[in-house]
Amino acid sequence: MGDSRIPSPGAELISVRIADQAYAIDIMAVREIRGWTTTTPLPHAPPHVLGMMNLRGAILPVIDLGARLGLGPATPGPASVVVVAQIGDAQMGLVVDAVSDILLVTEGLIQPAPDVGSADSTAFVAGVMTIDTNIVSLLALDNVLPPNMPAMAA
């Protein structure tokens, strides 16, 4: 596999749930996991930007990951979590329904995402894997930050 977005064998992934779907995020991008707290709205932000949060003095955008992936808007509640991730030069909060598991990448575990004729699909999904009987999509976090949204330095 020549895709540089796919972690090498031995790397760890964090499995998260959004609605009834399972996704994986490279653990090296995750800075911390926090419980959901209400965000401060950001005027004229795209619908997938829930607002801003203060993380020990740093102001981070908070993204509804499900909405950003085209799964529809989330209704964050007490069980939701914010995965604080480093994406390029920016840190941001990604709202998910739950963190499920830690996965260890093994040789041949991650397969290329199927071509469904949509550049958006492959932009967000670096690969797929089967865990037990579930298909887990490996997210390419480098495309989660909207191109028209300036990065907020960590």
Side-chain angles (χ1 to χ4, degrees):
M1 265 172 261
D3 194 331
S4 63
R5 303 178 303 172
I6 296 180
S8 301
E12 292 182 321
L13 307 172
I14 292 181
S15 173
V16 299
R17 296 212 63 76
I18 302 170
D20 292 329
Q21 304 296 314
Y23 294 91
I25 299 171
D26 190 333
I27 201 167
M28 296 307 291
V30 176
R31 297 295 166 251
E32 67 181 90
I33 299 169
R34 303 174 53 89
W36 167 254
T37 57
T38 304
T39 59
T40 301
L42 188 60
H44 302 286
H48 55 269
V49 177
L50 295 175
M52 306 170 284
M53 67 183 275
N54 182 341
L55 180 65
R56 293 181 293 285
I59 305 302
L60 308 179
V62 178
I63 308 292
D64 176 348
L65 192 53
R68 183 68 178 137
L69 296 174
L71 302 174
T75 306
S80 301
V81 296
V82 178
V83 176
V84 177
Q86 183 77 34
I87 303 173
D89 293 334
Q91 274 192 10
M92 68 183 61
L94 305 172
V95 176
V96 299
D97 292 330
V99 173
S100 306
D101 205 354
I102 302 289
L103 307 172
L104 181 65
V105 176
T106 57
E107 189 67 43
L109 174 68
I110 303 172
Q111 302 171 27
D115 182 5
V116 294
S118 168
D120 286 343
S121 178
T122 54
F124 289 108
V125 177
V128 295
M129 60 200 104
T130 302
I131 306 296
D132 298 324
T133 59
N134 298 317
I135 294 176
V136 179
S137 299
L138 173 62
L139 293 177
L141 290 183
D142 51 337
N143 292 317
V144 169
L145 183 65
N148 59 350
M149 189 172 128
M152 297 180 189

